[in-house]
Amino acid sequence: MTNLAHYDIVGSFLRPAELKQARAEFKEGKLSKNDLRALEDKLITDLVAKQKEVGLQAVTDGEFRRGFWHLDFLENLNGVEGYHPQAYNQQFQGTNAPAYNVRVVDKLSFNFDHPFLKDFSFLKEVAGPEVLAKATIPAPTMLYRQEVLANDGTSKLSEVYPDLNDFYHDLAKTYSDAIQAFYALGCRYLQFDDTNWAFLVDEHKRADLKAKGIDPVEATKISRQIINEALANKPSDLTVTTHVCRGNHASSWLFSGGYDQIAPDLFATDYDGYFLEFDDERAGGFAPLKYVPAGKRVVLGLVTSKRPQLEAPAELKARIKEASQYVDLADLALSTQCGFASTETGNKLTEADQWAKLKLVVSTAKEVWG
């Protein structure tokens, strides 16, 4: 596993107003694809420089080329299509995400011309040799959740995969191939973003699953199975982590619940590390961390990306100390609980607030770990 710093980032950054305007003009046909990409290249280059200036040792492209943290990747897999549902079930607290989704329409496989590969190559070039270029993609379990657990009646999965075990295997193989494709381009730090685990801890969602005849305990084990099959052939010098997300759109959220019910299976996945949200009471306590195997990295998401107010360093240090009762301090790290813009809308804070949050993460971590 790559030797990572004790401070890190989840991945997404607030989109500059210039980029939002350009993307709007592109959708209206007023700006060419090449002109949009040229602007994205410039803004990503600027963003990487700012990340280095803050002191980050792993940098991302801020997801500046995406509209959604997950859909842009998933709809470019073979066998998946994007579509506009009549009713969209991603109802955040106080707001809704834009009505767009994906579904499986044919046998799954990885698209080796996937646009994210070109995007990563650009990031690696501008990152240079002194920092890690970090790629972020949605976890395979996002398609499992979408098609099986949260099926809203628009799924065509049963037509393509009458046997769900075939779906699980093809999904894992698709991601296994994706891992190899990123690795071949020089990627040594890859993150799977995943709201499925948070879906499975939410008591309301668990009740919904039971009402549909789905056992949430079994669903948790299937999630572990898919992920571990996807990671089975991971190169030894590639770090793959996961971010367990509770929903992040316009400073709102989707799911609540502690990690207790999923911890044995979540921490039995073959990831090298786990980004866990602990920025408010919805996440519960640190006790489930007792299931984390020794040597695995746990990145504590104690600094919220949803609000501009800065956390007190003393409070952050106290919570890190509390978490160290369950995971060795050497295996802990600090980050924001999520990115700043999982959708291009972005959270309700300014770019200045965003950088202040990251400076707080870095400075606090250096005080704790040196």
Side-chain angles (χ1 to χ4, degrees):
M1 183 177 78
T2 302
N3 186 21
L4 300 176
H6 288 283
Y7 46 90
D8 212 326
I9 52 171
V10 173
S12 65
F13 284 83
L14 294 171
R15 312 302 198 263
E18 183 182 6
L19 178 57
K20 289 185 177 182
Q21 178 63 31
R23 288 180 67 88
E25 291 178 2
F26 172 71
K27 290 176 183 177
E28 295 169 2
K30 298 177 181 178
L31 188 70
S32 72
K33 186 174 183 178
N34 287 341
D35 287 343
L36 175 60
R37 188 166 187 90
L39 177 62
E40 290 170 345
D41 288 352
K42 173 186 176 298
L43 294 175
I44 289 168
T45 301
D46 293 344
L47 177 70
V48 169
K50 290 177 182 176
Q51 291 175 76
K52 290 180 179 179
E53 184 180 341
V54 168
L56 296 177
Q57 295 183 20
V59 301
T60 74
D61 64 4
E63 302 179 5
F64 276 10
R65 304 191 200 274
R66 306 185 208 180
F68 299 85
W69 65 274
H70 60 318
L71 300 181
D72 300 62
F73 180 84
L74 296 173
E75 70 177 348
N76 280 290
L77 298 175
N78 295 329
V80 178
E81 72 170 7
Y83 72 105
H84 293 275
Q86 292 183 336
Y88 191 54
N89 62 0
Q90 295 302 313
Q91 297 177 350
F92 287 77
Q93 301 300 311
T95 186
N96 288 339
Y100 191 74
N101 215 335
V102 294
R103 59 188 169 195
V104 175
V105 293
D106 203 348
K107 296 291 185 182
L108 287 172
S109 65
F110 185 67
N111 170 17
F112 286 94
D113 289 323
H114 199 294
F116 276 42
L117 297 176
K118 179 181 178 182
D119 296 346
F120 174 76
S121 291
F122 179 82
L123 172 64
K124 190 171 188 306
E125 179 183 350
V126 299
E130 67 271 19
V131 294
L132 273 174
K134 177 179 179 178
T136 61
I137 62 175
T141 38
M142 292 307 302
L143 271 181
Y144 166 57
R145 192 196 101 193
Q146 177 60 39
E147 294 285 20
V148 179
L149 305 183
N151 180 3
D152 60 0
T154 61
S155 174
K156 299 181 179 181
L157 187 67
S158 60
E159 302 170 21
V160 182
Y161 288 104
D163 185 340
L164 282 177
N165 288 313
D166 293 334
F167 168 57
Y168 302 151
H169 174 72
D170 283 1
L171 180 54
K173 178 63 166 58
T174 298
Y175 269 77
S176 178
D177 288 344
I179 289 171
Q180 297 300 329
F182 276 99
Y183 184 82
L185 293 176
C187 180
R188 296 299 180 267
Y189 189 7
L190 180 63
Q191 178 178 293
F192 285 4
D193 295 315
D194 199 344
T195 62
N196 180 61
W197 295 104
F199 176 93
L200 287 168
V201 303
D202 190 289
E203 288 301 333
H204 297 292
K205 298 302 180 185
R206 292 175 74 88
D208 290 344
L209 289 176
K210 291 175 182 177
K212 292 193 293 186
I214 298 174
D215 180 1
V217 175
E218 180 65 18
T220 302
K221 296 188 180 306
I222 291 171
S223 299
R224 169 185 170 184
Q225 167 196 325
I226 293 169
I227 290 166
N228 282 350
E229 185 177 345
L231 295 174
N233 297 314
K234 177 183 79 69
S236 60
D237 61 338
L238 170 66
T239 295
V240 181
T241 59
T242 190
H243 169 236
V244 179
C245 180
R246 295 165 184 271
N248 188 48
H249 168 68
S251 291
S252 190
W253 51 272
L254 282 169
F255 310 120
S256 290
Y259 296 95
D260 307 74
Q261 296 186 86
I262 61 166
D265 285 297
L266 170 61
F267 299 129
T269 52
D270 294 330
Y271 289 117
D272 297 303
Y274 305 88
F275 284 72
L276 304 175
E277 300 194 351
F278 282 110
D279 62 323
D280 62 27
E281 66 281 353
R282 287 183 299 113
F286 293 128
L289 297 182
K290 66 185 179 183
Y291 292 100
V292 178
K296 293 289 186 83
R297 172 62 60 93
V298 173
V299 186
L300 301 171
L302 301 176
V303 176
T304 189
S305 68
K306 296 184 185 295
R307 298 180 301 277
Q309 293 79 13
L310 288 176
E311 290 77 1
E315 182 180 339
L316 295 176
K317 292 175 189 176
R319 298 200 69 198
I320 292 168
K321 183 177 180 181
E322 182 184 353
S324 70
Q325 298 175 40
Y326 305 97
V327 176
D328 192 285
L329 184 64
D331 292 328
L332 292 175
L334 179 64
S335 76
T336 56
Q337 108 289 344
C338 195
F340 294 96
S342 299
T343 63
E344 59 187 328
T345 301
N347 284 342
K348 296 178 180 178
L349 66 174
T350 67
E351 289 186 49
D353 295 330
Q354 168 184 267
W355 295 111
K357 290 277 182 175
L358 290 180
K359 289 176 182 177
L360 174 64
V361 167
V362 173
S363 63
T364 304
K366 286 184 175 180
E367 289 178 18
V368 172
W369 287 281

